[in-house]
Amino acid sequence: MGEAGDAFRLGQVLLSRDEIKRRVSEIAGEIEREYRGRELIVVGILKGASIFMADLVRCVGDSVDVRMDYMAVSSYGDASTSSGVVKIVKDMDTFAEDRNVIIVEDIMDTGLTLYYLRDIIMGRNPESFKTCVLLEKPDRKKIESEIDYRGFVIPDEFVVGYGLDYAGKWRHLPDIWRVVKE
Ligand code: 5GP
């Protein structure tokens, strides 16, 4: 995003902590209804999905046997545009074979990261595989990659907060903000 040397600052709040909280608990309710009485491996994609995942799993009741795991991926190319080649930096520790797996992602932009992750996990023969994405930017989609649980559809603007960063900054903010050029 932007040219080297550009400075960015927080613009306006796009999604407030209350809106996020409501939507996260609705999604958790859907997951709970779907997986009641079963084991579920929830795999968060680091670092962006860490805060979303932590809130999400705490809203899923004990009728689901939730297990938490993480993956970290890096996309070749610059930090904010996906090149389509995704490298696993940290794999999940759990064996996915014959398990119910949900990948939790912060944002789907081009769709390439999710497409690639689906391919990898499906190759491990899970019992079921679903995707849960907090934010979707449909205008930037390059490849069809299905989202089973979606938080919000947002316009093509760079956002930070609630786990999302710009150059490592602003992940800890409780609301989701637009970033603007100074
Ligand atoms: P995709 O492979 O779908 O293009 O890339 C998704 C990844 O791009 C996200 O996990 C995130 O790291 C990054 N990304 C895309 N849009 C944004 C944005 O608006 N804000 C932030 N912080 N990261 C973004």
Side-chain angles (χ1 to χ4, degrees):
M1 179 190 134
E3 303 298 319
D6 282 346
F8 294 91
R9 63 171 174 81
L10 297 176
Q12 313 86 24
V13 169
L14 180 67
L15 294 163
S16 71
R17 64 196 77 186
D18 291 340
E19 286 173 90
I20 299 168
K21 192 175 177 191
R22 265 199 304 278
R23 188 70 194 113
V24 169
S25 112
E26 284 170 8
I27 297 171
E30 287 176 41
I31 291 175
E32 193 166 355
R33 282 190 290 282
E34 173 103 23
Y35 293 92
R36 187 163 287 151
R38 295 197 280 161
E39 184 203 62
L40 175 63
I41 319 293
V42 182
V43 184
I45 308 306
L46 296 171
K47 299 171 185 169
S50 56
I51 291 178
F52 172 38
M53 169 146 151
D55 284 348
L56 184 71
V57 293
R58 279 181 289 180
C59 293
V60 176
D62 65 358
S63 65
V64 185
D65 179 6
V66 173
R67 312 294 173 103
M68 293 166 71
D69 207 336
Y70 299 93
M71 286 176 88
V73 295
S74 73
S75 108
Y76 293 98
D78 77 66
S80 58
T81 56
S82 202
S83 63
V85 186
V86 176
K87 185 174 88 173
I88 295 186
V89 177
K90 184 221 171 298
D91 205 342
M92 55 193 283
D93 299 324
T94 324
F95 287 107
E97 189 167 352
D98 297 331
R99 318 288 277 278
N100 300 301
V101 178
I102 292 186
I103 287 276
V104 178
E105 243 297 41
D106 51 1
I107 185 163
M108 186 170 102
D109 188 25
T110 62
L112 291 163
T113 306
L114 214 57
Y115 182 85
Y116 180 80
L117 285 169
R118 172 189 299 274
D119 209 45
I120 292 177
I121 295 184
M122 287 307 282
R124 297 174 179 176
N125 299 316
E127 169 78 24
S128 67
F129 175 78
K130 293 209 170 177
T131 56
C132 175
V133 176
L134 182 64
L135 307 173
E136 181 189 11
K137 281 186 189 171
D139 298 345
R140 301 248 313 157
K141 196 183 291 177
K142 282 194 186 154
I143 195 159
E144 210 49 58
S145 192
E146 201 178 317
I147 299 177
D148 298 290
Y149 303 100
R150 173 188 290 94
F152 303 91
V153 174
I154 62 164
D156 180 15
E157 289 176 290
F158 199 81
V159 293
V160 297
Y162 200 68
L164 291 147
D165 72 313
Y166 173 66
K169 276 173 63 142
W170 296 320
R171 280 193 207 280
H172 64 294
L173 303 178
D175 308 293
I176 293 177
W177 293 76
R178 296 187 167 100
V179 169
V180 293
K181 213 194 264 191
E182 296 243 72

